[in-house]
Amino acid sequence: MTNPFLADSELPHLLPDFAAVRDEHYREAFELGMAEQLAEVAAITADTSAPTFENTIVPLERSGRVLDRVSTVFFTLTSSDTTDAIQELEEELAPKLAAHHDAIVLDPALFARVDAVHRAAVEGSENLDDEQRYLVERHRTEMVLAGAALDEPAKERLRELNQRISTLTTRFEKNLLNDTNELAVHITDAAELAGLAASELSAAREAAAARGLDGWLVTLVLYTGHPWLASIEVPETRARIMAASRARGTRGGEFDNRELVLKLVRARAERARLLGFRDHASVVTADETAGSPAAVAELLGRLAPAAARNAAAEREELGAVTGGPVAASDWAFAAERVRRERYDVDTAALRPWFEAERVLQDGVFYAAERLYGLRFHERTDLRGWNDEVRVFEVRDDDGVIGLYLLDLYTRDSKRGGAWMNSLVSRNELLGHETSIVTNNLNVPRPAAGEPTLLTLDEVETLFHEFGHALHGLFAHARYPSLAGTNVFRDFVEFPSQVNEMWAMWPEVLEHYARHHETGEPLDPAIAQRLRDAERFGQGFATSEYLQAALLDQAWHTLDLEQAQAVTDAAAFEAEALAAAGLADEAVPPRYATTYFAHVFSGGYDAGYYSYIWSEVLDADTVEWFRENGGLTRENGERFRRRLLQTAGTRDPLAAFRDFRGRDAAIEPLLERRGLA
Ligand SMILES: [Zn+2]
């Protein structure tokens, strides 16, 4: 059998042939792929003719096909369905891939050519169109920030640091997955789980059985809280779950992340200094729409005092209901009680109206049909990376635009959280005419024969991730590195956040929210109360988020000496939160340092602020849809053509202006989060 990564897949739309992949194919394809790409780059730099867009940038864009194919599949598996063998290989490969990336972006001959093309583009001596000029700019910036302009000894140190950082981030992720699995809370007496719905209990029973245990198992989610904390009636159980969640990475032994984080932060600070920046956050934001850590600090600082005030006010309110101080583990339960009393909505009792298939077909897909004219057709003949993955063909009025793969359920082999990824991104240079996008969620699997009933939160997550999927499906670029959702990290959440608005939009909600047994629609009065209740709890939500965002900035705005001086991760964390005015025993950060995967293994380092940064654009866009009649084809078309479709081909804020008619205003965000 030949290695399936050596050629394009022959399946429809270039869907990778997951079934044909054996573990041994990965290593071989990675090695061949790296060698192939180095040879391609060597051919570019060996060219003796003067550097041009055609002889430098275009072949660079074409290079690395084998590596791209194997990476796409391999990293899909490391996230969604990993094994011991894959984890081992990932750890072994991480420094090699980092070294390979360095070999290209730090190649002095390549940089000289890219720089020359850039100069010619700026001076106008080479006639390029806007997308081509933008592409040259992006390549040059990426190389400069990677260290291409440094002398050889500095580059040598940079390579060492990159490999070190890569090894540390991979180990962080592995420790977190293992510790999260180990810390799942085992319950042997059903009374301790009183308050959970039957379907949740059976999911917990299945989770226990899957590990050969009696009783029930509460598996942890990525963030500090847990969706079940809102309904479990026994305070001791809630406290156990939260304590387990917060213990991740701090228990000593092989999965402890405390020392590892200090090493990682120091290595990043040293790398920043080599590159001529004060700190890691300065390097990162130089290549974002934010531009600098100061701009980030300004936005976060503007929101923090009001968020802390609102959280404190909520704590008082909850205390009045529970008749005592509210502990962190009791917050969600108490908040749910207040929500029930004040707004007369019981979000836990809504799940029978949120049957997963209806939410998907009659909610998520329906909104996309009304806005963009999309239609979805399940391709049961096609297979994803696991038998649980579903494959849908997506069409608009002009034909098939791509595939959408959905992996809904949680597994021990899947990392926590929810995310979107691209397997193929439409671009003209490689002749990819359609895209393949994937969504992963971590919904607990119901017992056999029972329906999957989602929480309101999971419904919104599905709409959110599908917003990323739409972005990937609509994106249309000529060059691969500008294709798909390859946009700035502090912009990439914007399209997905916007798509969340349709979850509660009256015409959409009434279409999908039907009782799974009776078919009865959700009472419109309840739906209205749900919308009214949305503002409730924003103090807590904003505060826990801002704490995580500020923590990320605090770690990554340390200069090298400061980073070397920190010896206790927990103490540093506590001081940083206190300094921001957000320290509150009852409101822990959404992610604490030792399990903050976004910034210590997920590529959001110095970038967790992005969510609220792009929410400014999101809230203003929601405002625009409201002003212009909401769920219409005309509105969808404008959003698609002026924004989603542009992919990474131009300055995203210019695309936003083009869509909105002006720069984004912050007021809709302040209003939404009750911070005005
Ligand atoms: Zn997202």
Side-chain angles (χ1 to χ4, degrees):
M1 256 203 71
T2 58
N3 193 311
F5 298 118
L6 301 186
D8 268 336
S9 163
E10 286 173 13
L11 296 178
H13 310 288
L14 303 173
L15 178 69
D17 189 356
F18 290 98
V21 177
R22 303 282 165 268
D23 275 350
E24 60 270 24
H25 292 143
Y26 292 124
R27 189 191 310 271
E28 184 190 39
F30 271 112
E31 277 164 11
L32 283 169
M34 287 189 270
E36 176 196 69
Q37 192 172 27
L38 290 180
E40 287 163 335
V41 169
I44 298 171
T45 56
D47 191 337
T48 51
S49 52
T52 62
F53 184 86
E54 276 306 316
N55 72 21
T56 302
I57 305 296
V58 169
L60 190 55
E61 285 284 312
R62 276 190 201 283
S63 73
R65 305 299 311 123
V66 170
L67 186 57
D68 190 49
R69 281 187 217 107
V70 67
S71 301
T72 300
V73 170
F74 183 73
F75 291 110
T76 295
L77 271 294
T78 61
S79 307
S80 300
D81 200 7
T82 193
T83 61
D84 287 344
I86 286 176
Q87 276 195 0
E88 261 166 48
L89 184 57
E90 186 189 12
E91 200 158 347
E92 179 199 321
L93 281 169
K96 291 184 184 168
L97 288 169
H100 172 74
H101 180 251
D102 282 354
I104 295 171
V105 293
L106 299 181
D107 182 331
L110 183 64
F111 180 63
R113 291 186 73 91
V114 170
D115 200 36
V117 176
H118 179 257
R119 221 174 310 117
V122 171
E123 289 164 0
S125 54
E126 186 171 1
N127 195 16
L128 302 176
D129 66 28
D130 289 346
E131 184 173 345
Q132 291 170 330
R133 256 201 313 276
Y134 192 68
L135 178 65
V136 175
E137 187 71 53
R138 299 293 315 130
H139 272 293
R140 185 176 180 280
T141 302
E142 194 202 337
M143 292 181 88
V144 169
L145 289 178
L150 299 180
D151 64 22
E152 195 42 48
K155 276 186 189 167
E156 191 44 45
R157 181 65 187 146
L158 194 70
R159 287 188 200 99
E160 286 165 18
L161 287 168
N162 284 345
Q163 293 199 30
R164 184 170 165 73
I165 289 167
S166 157
T167 304
L168 289 168
T169 51
T170 306
R171 192 165 309 145
F172 182 98
E173 184 178 25
K174 188 177 158 184
N175 286 349
L176 178 56
L177 180 66
N178 287 319
D179 220 26
T180 300
N181 285 337
E182 232 177 53
L183 278 160
V185 177
H186 186 211
I187 305 278
T188 48
D189 178 358
E192 292 173 26
L193 292 174
L196 286 187
S199 59
E200 287 162 338
L201 280 171
S202 61
R205 204 180 245 304
E206 297 257 309
R211 293 202 199 167
L213 296 170
D214 290 331
W216 300 263
L217 194 70
V218 181
T219 54
L220 301 177
V221 297
L222 191 57
Y223 62 92
T224 298
H226 191 288
W228 294 352
L229 292 180
S231 37
I232 293 175
E233 288 161 7
V234 185
E236 292 74 19
T237 310
R238 298 198 298 260
R240 266 182 80 191
I241 293 170
M242 182 160 275
S245 175
R246 296 180 75 174
R248 285 175 294 168
T250 66
R251 298 186 298 151
E254 59 170 330
F255 305 140
D256 197 305
N257 274 334
R258 287 174 295 185
E259 278 302 307
L260 196 152
V261 163
L262 298 181
K263 289 178 189 163
L264 188 48
V265 166
R266 287 174 202 145
R268 284 173 172 167
E270 186 183 343
R271 182 172 62 180
R273 172 155 308 171
L274 269 177
L275 293 170
F277 289 83
R278 185 195 172 276
D279 51 53
H280 183 60
S282 298
V283 182
V284 170
T285 47
D287 198 25
E288 299 286 349
T289 68
S292 71
V296 175
E298 206 226 33
L299 177 67
L300 299 182
R302 188 166 173 184
L303 306 174
R309 254 196 324 275
N310 290 0
E314 284 170 16
R315 176 155 38 78
E316 298 240 318
E317 266 182 287
L318 300 186
V321 172
T322 57
V326 185
S329 57
D330 298 330
W331 188 292
F333 187 77
E336 189 61 27
R337 259 183 72 185
V338 171
R339 194 176 279 119
R340 257 200 314 262
E341 282 165 19
R342 178 171 322 155
Y343 300 97
D344 194 20
V345 290
D346 175 358
T347 52
L350 293 172
R351 294 181 63 223
W353 277 270
F354 298 148
E355 193 268 309
E357 192 61 15
R358 281 205 84 123
V359 173
L360 179 69
Q361 302 273 356
D362 297 342
V364 173
F365 288 173
Y366 173 72
E369 185 195 328
R370 292 282 303 273
L371 287 162
Y372 311 109
L374 297 187
R375 288 174 302 282
F376 300 82
H377 164 65
E378 186 156 10
R379 291 283 305 257
T380 50
D381 57 320
L382 298 178
R383 187 185 179 279
W385 49 90
N386 180 296
D387 285 329
E388 294 187 346
V389 181
R390 299 172 67 190
V391 182
F392 297 88
E393 193 172 76
V394 188
R395 293 174 174 271
D396 67 6
D397 292 342
D398 299 325
V400 180
I401 63 168
L403 298 177
Y404 169 68
L405 275 62
L406 175 63
D407 189 359
L408 189 66
Y409 295 108
T410 192
R411 287 190 279 279
D412 281 355
S413 62
K414 195 196 263 195
R415 71 173 165 91
W419 65 95
M420 170 272 186
N421 203 6
S422 295
L423 299 181
V424 178
S425 295
R426 176 178 177 188
N427 74 86
E428 287 167 26
L429 188 73
L430 301 178
H432 295 172
E433 290 167 1
T434 50
S435 298
I436 304 181
V437 295
T438 74
N439 276 172
N440 272 274
L441 273 76
N442 268 289
V443 174
R445 173 167 278 292
E450 285 187 37
T452 302
L453 304 178
L454 302 180
T455 63
L456 181 57
D457 205 46
E458 287 164 343
V459 170
E460 282 167 351
T461 300
L462 186 56
F463 274 88
H464 174 98
E465 296 308 330
F466 192 74
H468 286 301
L470 286 173
H471 191 196
L473 285 165
F474 290 148
H476 186 182
R478 238 182 307 158
Y479 302 101
S481 65
L482 304 180
T485 54
N486 278 338
V487 295
F488 295 107
R489 202 174 42 183
D490 63 4
F491 187 79
V492 75
E493 289 304 320
F494 159 55
S496 52
Q497 289 168 334
V498 168
N499 204 56
E500 286 178 41
M501 75 182 283
W502 307 115
M504 295 298 287
W505 194 261
E507 291 155 272
V508 180
L509 183 70
E510 69 196 30
H511 200 251
Y512 75 81
R514 307 232 159 204
H515 194 280
H516 72 101
E517 280 165 339
T518 63
E520 222 180 306
L522 187 67
D523 181 349
I526 294 179
Q528 189 50 49
R529 290 201 296 273
L530 267 179
R531 280 178 213 107
D532 295 342
E534 265 180 355
R535 186 87 73 77
F536 176 75
Q538 281 301 321
F540 177 89
T542 308
S543 193
E544 67 155 6
Y545 166 80
L546 287 176
Q547 288 183 64
L550 282 156
L551 209 47
D552 171 30
Q553 291 297 311
W555 280 117
H556 293 120
T557 48
L558 294 175
D559 70 22
L560 180 57
E561 286 75 24
Q562 290 169 325
Q564 283 164 339
V566 180
T567 51
D568 181 340
F572 177 82
E573 177 175 313
E575 276 166 36
L577 297 178
L582 286 166
D584 186 336
E585 245 321 293
V587 187
R590 186 166 173 83
Y591 305 99
T593 299
T594 51
Y595 51 92
F596 202 168
H598 290 76
V599 307
F600 294 117
S601 66
Y604 268 72
D605 38 302
Y608 191 66
Y609 76 89
S610 306
Y611 290 90
I612 206 134
W613 187 269
S614 50
E615 198 182 328
V616 175
L617 304 179
D618 156 35
D620 198 32
T621 300
V622 169
E623 196 74 1
W624 179 88
F625 271 102
R626 289 218 175 94
E627 287 164 6
N628 288 281
L631 188 75
T632 67
R633 277 288 273 123
E634 201 188 340
N635 286 348
E637 202 64 14
R638 184 181 171 102
F639 192 50
R640 173 179 177 175
R641 302 294 168 195
R642 299 197 180 199
L643 218 135
L644 300 176
Q645 180 176 294
T646 60
T649 63
R650 62 182 297 205
D651 171 13
L653 295 183
F656 182 85
R657 271 192 293 278
D658 205 20
F659 159 71
R660 187 64 171 106
R662 58 163 171 75
D663 282 322
I666 194 175
E667 286 70 23
L669 171 79
L670 299 179
E671 179 62 28
R672 171 195 287 189
R673 287 187 170 255
L675 302 173

